[in-house]
Amino acid sequence: MNRLETDILVIGAGAAGMGAAICAANSGVSVIVVERNPDAGGILNQCIHNGFGLHYFKKEFTGPEFAYQLYSKTKESGIQFLFNHFLLQLDLKNKTAIFASEEGIKLIACKALIYTAGARERPFGSLLIPGDRVSGIFTAGVAQRLTNIENRLPGTKALILGSGDIGLIMARRLTLEGVEVVAVCERMPYPGGLARNIDQCLKDFGIPLLLSTTVTEVRGDGRLREVITSSLDENYNIIEGTQRSWSVDTLVLSVGLVPSTTPIMDYFSIDSKSRGVIVDNCMRTDKDWIFSAGNCVIIYDLVDYVTYQGEMAGRSAVNYIKNGNNPARYPIKKGNGVGVINCSYYVENSDLELYIRVNKPKEKAKLVVRSDNTIIYEGKPSAFIPSEMVRVKIKAEKIDDSFKKSSLVTEIIDL
Amino acid sequence: MRICIIGGGIVGTLIARQLGRFDIEVMLIEKEYDAGLGVSKANSAIIHAGYDDEPGTYRARFCSKGNMLYDELARQLDIEVVRVGSHVLAFNNEQRNVLNKLYQQGLNNNIRNLRILERDEILDMEPNINPDVVASLYAPSAGITEPWQICIAATENAAANGVEFHFNEEVIDIDAQGNKIRRVITDKHEYQVDYVINAAGLYADRIANMAKDVAIPIHPRIGEYILLNKFTTADLIHSIIFPTPSKMGKGILVIPTVDKGILLGPTSSDLNYRLKDLRATSSEGLEQIVENAKKLIPGIDIKETVKTFAGCRPETSQKDFYLGASRKIYGFFNVAGMRSPGLTAAPAIAQWTCEELQKTYNLKFNLKKDYNPYRKKIFHYYNNISLEDYDKEIQRYPEAGRFVCVCNKITEKEVIEAIKRGATTLDAIKFRTRAMFGECQGGFCTHKILQILSRELGFPLEKIVYNNAKSYVVDGKVRK
């Protein structure tokens, strides 16, 4: 068995992990990044479309380009990468993580750990859609992997369920490769992906987007042959008589991502509902030496945001190693209108960076952060939609101490 | 002399294993690519205690005996059988009376350690049971298993002892000229045989027709199921939870699986005989499962579903197994109508079949000298080996350190071993290793397993299927 030591151990070499590693290594500490796949970049490598990096690099890249740019930065910083390594267990007492690879078992002792494992896709089975058990039903990520990396077409005629960004991207991707995409169905009355993707992936290709519509049955013998869709009322109940049959051999699902936290759920706290790691605004978990960032915390819209949060985790981990401090933290609560929020706690005397997703569209509203009755932050009036996260930065000096008596509350106030 | 078993489900494969002990020529023909893909694949996976089988039935005769045989079977075949025990819950006095009757029937069937429990004791054992419960019939000998693993294990063991297996081969006719079994004709070959054991499950009636035997009165009864994520629901229950049975049958249950998940179901609807290939779930069925399961365990969170599926079982008009030698066709032996508790009874029926064949046809089977009753399962590394030993193992087999399925932590070594043992499809890998069986349902590993199958078998990716010939995965290349 092989034993290694490092100041900071990062698990996962996606955007969050590389962001964390770069930030940490630039502060002069030693960093090892462990990745279960053969290369860095995570799911970016199969996202061959453009639109990445507009915030972080101020340039537009494809997914693999974004990954390459980040990976190049790590090369300047002396970060050690271990690819094809799989996490077996954590030893919290000895601050050691144990990995398997084809070289054998490796024990890596560290001073701080950063967990950046990304997310997984919700599977078809979780949707409780009745019908035959057939092949030809793919999550969008699997369809994307097959098309872009394995050089294989998932089928010849497809319907897409879910208008999340990857569903929209796959609608275009499959169309470009000669697969007929008959429609994208979305159960909500508004689209789940970014507005620019609705335009560039559906409208430009004449692919219909059917809102308040879902798949209510799949049929076939061995392979998918027919998908039945139905319209939904405002309570998401099926409207009888709206059934529509689509003869397709492929169903692609873009029905949401779930943070990948199962491997660590026994070691540090995760949110039982969202399954994301619970962190404060310094990306610290409930263990003082463990940090986490990226889609294993909450599901972000943009890889740029993921990278920023990775950097925050890297900075905080270095700060912990160098100063060993464990400052007090206070809960941040979700008020009216807030669906998803990163983070769950605020560390006193720190700058606060919030990522908020509203729970339903608002035509005109404003975001407010307050403690009891003291307003700490008030955004400009604007429209909000769940598919586009709001990013808010508040300087430490703007946050007075009143929240210590209660908590910080974020809410969306209708205007 | 040659015996031909038709059907590679739980009874077919266990009979094959049983006959494999003897110095006789035995073959098994199965139309699917793998063992256990019919009735045996999708059921409640319960080893029943045997209290609910009325005296005088084949069910009563073979269920409790089969239950007892499972310990030895598990040891010899290295399969998982966990005696988790079962509770039949009563929520009122009327239901309590039913429990008392079942208890008495259980005593008559020689079921050991049955007890009627009162509310407090039940809730001490299973705190998540609906607190309105008043009593339960507790049967500690009830257990759970993975039926497809038994079929696979029995196949491997029987093959190692010389039984010949023909998968992906369908019987299309049986020559029974002069009311005597002579030949079995498949879509690929013809075989001269002396005896046919009809273990064709839902299709046993079709096989009986081919042999010109009297009609077997079976029809399909479909049951739908919901499987919950083992990582988030495992602690909900530890034993099998039944409602009080009614005229409609055993009802909808909450069942722990040996993989630590929770299974809900089954529904129960009789289908026309023409619908025996139906494996579809329905919105009514799934709703019914949720509603009824929550009456037993209110804390069930249906959002934790990872999969829904349906299975058909062969139901007979007598609500009993259809067993024994045909009186019309010499050499034709039925092991059909394997309704519930067919899984539990199967090992006992396999033993009985072996004895009955000798008695009926005046045969004497001699034990093979080199018969080996043991089979080892594919070794699963994760959490089953010390780190030191694991390290040594990886030095010998680097593929033991390459992880394929990230949810269930399955290595490439395990997948390759499954292929060496005969797996050629994605489901065959899944049922042998549990890869693709976890919370992401193959999202992260299907492409890897496709590649490994393609490499090891020398098939192009396009030729790889989920389970049957029509269930192809990918449809050609994007670029040449």
mmCIF file of all heavy atoms in Angstrom, chain B residues 432-466:
data_model
loop_
_atom_site.group_PDB
_atom_site.id
_atom_site.type_symbol
_atom_site.label_atom_id
_atom_site.label_comp_id
_atom_site.label_asym_id
_atom_site.label_seq_id
_atom_site.Cartn_x
_atom_site.Cartn_y
_atom_site.Cartn_z
ATOM 1 N N ARG B 432 -25.745 -10.097 -12.611
ATOM 2 C CA ARG B 432 -24.638 -10.833 -12.004
ATOM 3 C C ARG B 432 -23.795 -9.988 -11.063
ATOM 4 O O ARG B 432 -23.201 -10.506 -10.130
ATOM 5 C CB ARG B 432 -23.732 -11.415 -13.090
ATOM 6 C CG ARG B 432 -24.264 -12.692 -13.700
ATOM 7 C CD ARG B 432 -23.467 -13.077 -14.941
ATOM 8 N NE ARG B 432 -23.962 -14.335 -15.499
ATOM 9 C CZ ARG B 432 -25.073 -14.435 -16.224
ATOM 10 N NH1 ARG B 432 -25.788 -13.363 -16.477
ATOM 11 N NH2 ARG B 432 -25.469 -15.609 -16.693
ATOM 12 N N THR B 433 -23.709 -8.670 -11.339
ATOM 13 C CA THR B 433 -22.764 -7.853 -10.562
ATOM 14 C C THR B 433 -23.425 -6.720 -9.770
ATOM 15 O O THR B 433 -22.795 -6.149 -8.901
ATOM 16 C CB THR B 433 -21.736 -7.182 -11.494
ATOM 17 O OG1 THR B 433 -22.437 -6.254 -12.339
ATOM 18 C CG2 THR B 433 -20.999 -8.200 -12.345
ATOM 19 N N ARG B 434 -24.634 -6.357 -10.097
ATOM 20 C CA ARG B 434 -25.336 -5.179 -9.567
ATOM 21 C C ARG B 434 -24.813 -3.865 -10.150
ATOM 22 O O ARG B 434 -25.175 -2.787 -9.692
ATOM 23 C CB ARG B 434 -25.281 -5.086 -8.051
ATOM 24 C CG ARG B 434 -26.085 -6.155 -7.368
ATOM 25 C CD ARG B 434 -26.096 -5.926 -5.867
ATOM 26 N NE ARG B 434 -26.732 -7.041 -5.195
ATOM 27 C CZ ARG B 434 -26.473 -7.433 -3.960
ATOM 28 N NH1 ARG B 434 -25.574 -6.771 -3.250
ATOM 29 N NH2 ARG B 434 -27.100 -8.446 -3.422
ATOM 30 N N ALA B 435 -23.945 -3.924 -11.137
ATOM 31 C CA ALA B 435 -23.586 -2.689 -11.842
ATOM 32 C C ALA B 435 -24.853 -2.187 -12.542
ATOM 33 O O ALA B 435 -25.665 -2.995 -12.999
ATOM 34 C CB ALA B 435 -22.499 -2.967 -12.881
ATOM 35 N N MET B 436 -25.057 -0.894 -12.591
ATOM 36 C CA MET B 436 -26.245 -0.247 -13.192
ATOM 37 C C MET B 436 -27.500 -0.435 -12.340
ATOM 38 O O MET B 436 -28.595 -0.097 -12.758
ATOM 39 C CB MET B 436 -26.537 -0.761 -14.626
ATOM 40 C CG MET B 436 -25.396 -0.588 -15.581
ATOM 41 S SD MET B 436 -25.699 -1.349 -17.196
ATOM 42 C CE MET B 436 -25.282 -3.070 -16.857
ATOM 43 N N PHE B 437 -27.339 -0.997 -11.158
ATOM 44 C CA PHE B 437 -28.483 -1.303 -10.295
ATOM 45 C C PHE B 437 -28.630 -0.237 -9.208
ATOM 46 O O PHE B 437 -29.506 -0.323 -8.360
ATOM 47 C CB PHE B 437 -28.238 -2.654 -9.603
ATOM 48 C CG PHE B 437 -29.388 -3.615 -9.683
ATOM 49 C CD1 PHE B 437 -29.186 -4.931 -10.078
ATOM 50 C CD2 PHE B 437 -30.672 -3.211 -9.359
ATOM 51 C CE1 PHE B 437 -30.228 -5.823 -10.162
ATOM 52 C CE2 PHE B 437 -31.723 -4.109 -9.433
ATOM 53 C CZ PHE B 437 -31.499 -5.411 -9.845
ATOM 54 N N GLY B 438 -27.770 0.766 -9.207
ATOM 55 C CA GLY B 438 -27.763 1.735 -8.103
ATOM 56 C C GLY B 438 -28.601 2.962 -8.384
ATOM 57 O O GLY B 438 -29.463 2.956 -9.261
ATOM 58 N N GLU B 439 -28.342 4.024 -7.626
ATOM 59 C CA GLU B 439 -29.224 5.184 -7.692
ATOM 60 C C GLU B 439 -29.130 5.942 -9.011
ATOM 61 O O GLU B 439 -30.063 6.639 -9.380
ATOM 62 C CB GLU B 439 -29.005 6.112 -6.492
ATOM 63 C CG GLU B 439 -27.609 6.666 -6.386
ATOM 64 C CD GLU B 439 -27.432 7.567 -5.167
ATOM 65 O OE1 GLU B 439 -28.422 7.932 -4.518
ATOM 66 O OE2 GLU B 439 -26.270 7.905 -4.864
ATOM 67 N N CYS B 440 -28.022 5.822 -9.756
ATOM 68 C CA CYS B 440 -27.989 6.537 -11.043
ATOM 69 C C CYS B 440 -28.473 5.646 -12.185
ATOM 70 O O CYS B 440 -28.611 6.106 -13.314
ATOM 71 C CB CYS B 440 -26.616 7.143 -11.331
ATOM 72 S SG CYS B 440 -25.428 6.090 -12.161
ATOM 73 N N GLN B 441 -28.764 4.369 -11.879
ATOM 74 C CA GLN B 441 -29.352 3.447 -12.852
ATOM 75 C C GLN B 441 -28.553 3.396 -14.161
ATOM 76 O O GLN B 441 -29.119 3.388 -15.251
ATOM 77 C CB GLN B 441 -30.822 3.829 -13.120
ATOM 78 C CG GLN B 441 -31.725 3.579 -11.926
ATOM 79 C CD GLN B 441 -32.084 2.099 -11.800
ATOM 80 O OE1 GLN B 441 -32.690 1.510 -12.678
ATOM 81 N NE2 GLN B 441 -31.658 1.485 -10.705
ATOM 82 N N GLY B 442 -27.240 3.373 -14.009
ATOM 83 C CA GLY B 442 -26.402 3.212 -15.195
ATOM 84 C C GLY B 442 -25.977 4.503 -15.866
ATOM 85 O O GLY B 442 -25.301 4.470 -16.890
ATOM 86 N N GLY B 443 -26.356 5.637 -15.303
ATOM 87 C CA GLY B 443 -26.010 6.928 -15.908
ATOM 88 C C GLY B 443 -24.513 7.099 -16.097
ATOM 89 O O GLY B 443 -24.057 7.621 -17.104
ATOM 90 N N PHE B 444 -23.729 6.648 -15.115
ATOM 91 C CA PHE B 444 -22.279 6.821 -15.199
ATOM 92 C C PHE B 444 -21.555 5.621 -15.794
ATOM 93 O O PHE B 444 -20.388 5.728 -16.148
ATOM 94 C CB PHE B 444 -21.691 7.088 -13.804
ATOM 95 C CG PHE B 444 -21.917 8.489 -13.311
ATOM 96 C CD1 PHE B 444 -22.538 8.727 -12.102
ATOM 97 C CD2 PHE B 444 -21.490 9.572 -14.067
ATOM 98 C CE1 PHE B 444 -22.749 10.012 -11.649
ATOM 99 C CE2 PHE B 444 -21.692 10.873 -13.615
ATOM 100 C CZ PHE B 444 -22.318 11.096 -12.402
ATOM 101 N N CYS B 445 -22.192 4.465 -15.842
ATOM 102 C CA CYS B 445 -21.401 3.287 -16.213
ATOM 103 C C CYS B 445 -21.881 2.547 -17.447
ATOM 104 O O CYS B 445 -21.161 1.686 -17.945
ATOM 105 C CB CYS B 445 -21.281 2.324 -15.038
ATOM 106 S SG CYS B 445 -22.845 1.636 -14.491
ATOM 107 N N THR B 446 -23.075 2.874 -17.976
ATOM 108 C CA THR B 446 -23.558 2.104 -19.127
ATOM 109 C C THR B 446 -22.553 2.154 -20.282
ATOM 110 O O THR B 446 -22.247 1.126 -20.885
ATOM 111 C CB THR B 446 -24.933 2.622 -19.580
ATOM 112 O OG1 THR B 446 -25.820 2.551 -18.473
ATOM 113 C CG2 THR B 446 -25.490 1.781 -20.710
ATOM 114 N N HIS B 447 -22.006 3.339 -20.559
ATOM 115 C CA HIS B 447 -21.071 3.424 -21.687
ATOM 116 C C HIS B 447 -19.806 2.606 -21.437
ATOM 117 O O HIS B 447 -19.248 2.017 -22.351
ATOM 118 C CB HIS B 447 -20.738 4.885 -22.021
ATOM 119 C CG HIS B 447 -19.881 5.569 -21.012
ATOM 120 N ND1 HIS B 447 -20.402 6.236 -19.930
ATOM 121 C CD2 HIS B 447 -18.541 5.659 -20.898
ATOM 122 C CE1 HIS B 447 -19.406 6.737 -19.211
ATOM 123 N NE2 HIS B 447 -18.287 6.394 -19.765
ATOM 124 N N LYS B 448 -19.390 2.546 -20.156
ATOM 125 C CA LYS B 448 -18.184 1.755 -19.858
ATOM 126 C C LYS B 448 -18.465 0.268 -20.045
ATOM 127 O O LYS B 448 -17.635 -0.477 -20.570
ATOM 128 C CB LYS B 448 -17.733 2.011 -18.412
ATOM 129 C CG LYS B 448 -17.220 3.426 -18.178
ATOM 130 C CD LYS B 448 -16.604 3.557 -16.793
ATOM 131 C CE LYS B 448 -17.431 4.427 -15.895
ATOM 132 N NZ LYS B 448 -16.907 4.587 -14.547
ATOM 133 N N ILE B 449 -19.655 -0.147 -19.610
ATOM 134 C CA ILE B 449 -19.986 -1.576 -19.715
ATOM 135 C C ILE B 449 -20.185 -1.970 -21.177
ATOM 136 O O ILE B 449 -19.770 -3.050 -21.601
ATOM 137 C CB ILE B 449 -21.193 -1.896 -18.817
ATOM 138 C CG1 ILE B 449 -20.747 -1.717 -17.359
ATOM 139 C CG2 ILE B 449 -21.691 -3.329 -19.052
ATOM 140 C CD1 ILE B 449 -21.851 -1.747 -16.360
ATOM 141 N N LEU B 450 -20.762 -1.062 -21.955
ATOM 142 C CA LEU B 450 -20.871 -1.319 -23.402
ATOM 143 C C LEU B 450 -19.481 -1.568 -23.994
ATOM 144 O O LEU B 450 -19.278 -2.508 -24.769
ATOM 145 C CB LEU B 450 -21.517 -0.118 -24.111
ATOM 146 C CG LEU B 450 -23.026 0.076 -23.961
ATOM 147 C CD1 LEU B 450 -23.437 1.429 -24.539
ATOM 148 C CD2 LEU B 450 -23.800 -1.034 -24.662
ATOM 149 N N GLN B 451 -18.531 -0.714 -23.611
ATOM 150 C CA GLN B 451 -17.165 -0.852 -24.138
ATOM 151 C C GLN B 451 -16.530 -2.163 -23.709
ATOM 152 O O GLN B 451 -15.877 -2.842 -24.504
ATOM 153 C CB GLN B 451 -16.285 0.318 -23.652
ATOM 154 C CG GLN B 451 -16.636 1.673 -24.255
ATOM 155 C CD GLN B 451 -16.281 1.777 -25.725
ATOM 156 O OE1 GLN B 451 -15.775 0.829 -26.330
ATOM 157 N NE2 GLN B 451 -16.569 2.922 -26.330
ATOM 158 N N ILE B 452 -16.729 -2.527 -22.435
ATOM 159 C CA ILE B 452 -16.100 -3.765 -21.938
ATOM 160 C C ILE B 452 -16.725 -4.977 -22.637
ATOM 161 O O ILE B 452 -16.015 -5.882 -23.085
ATOM 162 C CB ILE B 452 -16.244 -3.871 -20.400
ATOM 163 C CG1 ILE B 452 -15.514 -2.711 -19.720
ATOM 164 C CG2 ILE B 452 -15.686 -5.203 -19.900
ATOM 165 C CD1 ILE B 452 -15.802 -2.577 -18.228
ATOM 166 N N LEU B 453 -18.055 -4.974 -22.760
ATOM 167 C CA LEU B 453 -18.730 -6.088 -23.444
ATOM 168 C C LEU B 453 -18.226 -6.203 -24.883
ATOM 169 O O LEU B 453 -17.915 -7.296 -25.366
ATOM 170 C CB LEU B 453 -20.245 -5.857 -23.462
ATOM 171 C CG LEU B 453 -21.057 -6.359 -22.274
ATOM 172 C CD1 LEU B 453 -22.470 -5.789 -22.321
ATOM 173 C CD2 LEU B 453 -21.115 -7.882 -22.227
ATOM 174 N N SER B 454 -18.147 -5.057 -25.554
ATOM 175 C CA SER B 454 -17.712 -5.033 -26.945
ATOM 176 C C SER B 454 -16.287 -5.586 -27.062
ATOM 177 O O SER B 454 -16.001 -6.413 -27.929
ATOM 178 C CB SER B 454 -17.805 -3.597 -27.450
ATOM 179 O OG SER B 454 -17.122 -3.454 -28.654
ATOM 180 N N ARG B 455 -15.422 -5.146 -26.168
ATOM 181 C CA ARG B 455 -14.020 -5.580 -26.202
ATOM 182 C C ARG B 455 -13.887 -7.077 -25.897
ATOM 183 O O ARG B 455 -13.226 -7.822 -26.615
ATOM 184 C CB ARG B 455 -13.244 -4.763 -25.157
ATOM 185 C CG ARG B 455 -11.755 -5.022 -25.111
ATOM 186 C CD ARG B 455 -11.139 -4.342 -23.897
ATOM 187 N NE ARG B 455 -11.498 -5.026 -22.669
ATOM 188 C CZ ARG B 455 -11.569 -4.439 -21.474
ATOM 189 N NH1 ARG B 455 -11.336 -3.144 -21.351
ATOM 190 N NH2 ARG B 455 -11.874 -5.141 -20.407
ATOM 191 N N GLU B 456 -14.560 -7.529 -24.826
ATOM 192 C CA GLU B 456 -14.378 -8.918 -24.394
ATOM 193 C C GLU B 456 -15.037 -9.910 -25.346
ATOM 194 O O GLU B 456 -14.564 -11.023 -25.499
ATOM 195 C CB GLU B 456 -14.944 -9.117 -22.983
ATOM 196 C CG GLU B 456 -14.259 -8.284 -21.908
ATOM 197 C CD GLU B 456 -12.821 -8.736 -21.633
ATOM 198 O OE1 GLU B 456 -12.593 -9.963 -21.528
ATOM 199 O OE2 GLU B 456 -11.938 -7.857 -21.541
ATOM 200 N N LEU B 457 -16.188 -9.505 -25.926
ATOM 201 C CA LEU B 457 -16.921 -10.441 -26.777
ATOM 202 C C LEU B 457 -16.564 -10.292 -28.248
ATOM 203 O O LEU B 457 -16.932 -11.128 -29.070
ATOM 204 C CB LEU B 457 -18.436 -10.236 -26.617
ATOM 205 C CG LEU B 457 -19.013 -10.493 -25.228
ATOM 206 C CD1 LEU B 457 -20.463 -10.024 -25.163
ATOM 207 C CD2 LEU B 457 -18.927 -11.971 -24.860
ATOM 208 N N GLY B 458 -15.878 -9.178 -28.557
ATOM 209 C CA GLY B 458 -15.559 -8.921 -29.957
ATOM 210 C C GLY B 458 -16.771 -8.533 -30.796
ATOM 211 O O GLY B 458 -16.786 -8.736 -32.004
ATOM 212 N N PHE B 459 -17.827 -8.004 -30.155
ATOM 213 C CA PHE B 459 -18.997 -7.496 -30.885
ATOM 214 C C PHE B 459 -18.816 -5.999 -31.105
ATOM 215 O O PHE B 459 -18.270 -5.341 -30.239
ATOM 216 C CB PHE B 459 -20.271 -7.519 -30.021
ATOM 217 C CG PHE B 459 -20.830 -8.836 -29.632
ATOM 218 C CD1 PHE B 459 -20.270 -10.033 -30.008
ATOM 219 C CD2 PHE B 459 -21.983 -8.850 -28.852
ATOM 220 C CE1 PHE B 459 -20.834 -11.223 -29.605
ATOM 221 C CE2 PHE B 459 -22.544 -10.025 -28.444
ATOM 222 C CZ PHE B 459 -21.969 -11.218 -28.820
ATOM 223 N N PRO B 460 -19.354 -5.454 -32.189
ATOM 224 C CA PRO B 460 -19.440 -3.989 -32.248
ATOM 225 C C PRO B 460 -20.493 -3.483 -31.233
ATOM 226 O O PRO B 460 -21.401 -4.239 -30.869
ATOM 227 C CB PRO B 460 -19.879 -3.711 -33.680
ATOM 228 C CG PRO B 460 -20.468 -4.972 -34.171
ATOM 229 C CD PRO B 460 -19.882 -6.104 -33.379
ATOM 230 N N LEU B 461 -20.368 -2.249 -30.805
ATOM 231 C CA LEU B 461 -21.281 -1.665 -29.825
ATOM 232 C C LEU B 461 -22.747 -1.792 -30.251
ATOM 233 O O LEU B 461 -23.636 -1.998 -29.436
ATOM 234 C CB LEU B 461 -20.950 -0.178 -29.659
ATOM 235 C CG LEU B 461 -20.499 0.328 -28.289
ATOM 236 C CD1 LEU B 461 -19.416 -0.543 -27.703
ATOM 237 C CD2 LEU B 461 -20.012 1.768 -28.385
ATOM 238 N N GLU B 462 -22.974 -1.669 -31.556
ATOM 239 C CA GLU B 462 -24.350 -1.694 -32.082
ATOM 240 C C GLU B 462 -25.044 -3.031 -31.821
ATOM 241 O O GLU B 462 -26.259 -3.115 -31.847
ATOM 242 C CB GLU B 462 -24.345 -1.447 -33.610
ATOM 243 C CG GLU B 462 -23.972 -0.037 -34.024
ATOM 244 C CD GLU B 462 -22.496 0.279 -33.862
ATOM 245 O OE1 GLU B 462 -21.688 -0.663 -33.723
ATOM 246 O OE2 GLU B 462 -22.156 1.469 -33.867
ATOM 247 N N LYS B 463 -24.260 -4.082 -31.627
ATOM 248 C CA LYS B 463 -24.841 -5.419 -31.461
ATOM 249 C C LYS B 463 -25.227 -5.689 -30.006
ATOM 250 O O LYS B 463 -25.833 -6.722 -29.707
ATOM 251 C CB LYS B 463 -23.831 -6.482 -31.898
ATOM 252 C CG LYS B 463 -23.580 -6.492 -33.386
ATOM 253 C CD LYS B 463 -24.484 -7.499 -34.088
ATOM 254 C CE LYS B 463 -24.208 -7.546 -35.564
ATOM 255 N NZ LYS B 463 -25.272 -7.009 -36.386
ATOM 256 N N ILE B 464 -24.842 -4.807 -29.107
ATOM 257 C CA ILE B 464 -25.093 -5.088 -27.691
ATOM 258 C C ILE B 464 -26.509 -4.649 -27.317
ATOM 259 O O ILE B 464 -26.971 -3.583 -27.716
ATOM 260 C CB ILE B 464 -24.023 -4.412 -26.816
ATOM 261 C CG1 ILE B 464 -22.675 -5.052 -27.172
ATOM 262 C CG2 ILE B 464 -24.334 -4.591 -25.325
ATOM 263 C CD1 ILE B 464 -21.505 -4.322 -26.637
ATOM 264 N N VAL B 465 -27.188 -5.515 -26.576
ATOM 265 C CA VAL B 465 -28.588 -5.263 -26.225
ATOM 266 C C VAL B 465 -28.744 -5.239 -24.707
ATOM 267 O O VAL B 465 -27.871 -5.691 -23.974
ATOM 268 C CB VAL B 465 -29.519 -6.351 -26.811
ATOM 269 C CG1 VAL B 465 -29.503 -6.320 -28.325
ATOM 270 C CG2 VAL B 465 -29.145 -7.741 -26.287
ATOM 271 N N TYR B 466 -29.886 -4.696 -24.276
ATOM 272 C CA TYR B 466 -30.195 -4.734 -22.844
ATOM 273 C C TYR B 466 -30.502 -6.155 -22.399
ATOM 274 O O TYR B 466 -29.887 -6.692 -21.515
ATOM 275 C CB TYR B 466 -31.375 -3.812 -22.512
ATOM 276 C CG TYR B 466 -30.905 -2.448 -22.119
ATOM 277 C CD1 TYR B 466 -30.929 -1.392 -23.021
ATOM 278 C CD2 TYR B 466 -30.398 -2.215 -20.850
ATOM 279 C CE1 TYR B 466 -30.467 -0.144 -22.681
ATOM 280 C CE2 TYR B 466 -29.918 -0.970 -20.493
ATOM 281 C CZ TYR B 466 -29.964 0.063 -21.408
ATOM 282 O OH TYR B 466 -29.491 1.285 -21.056
#
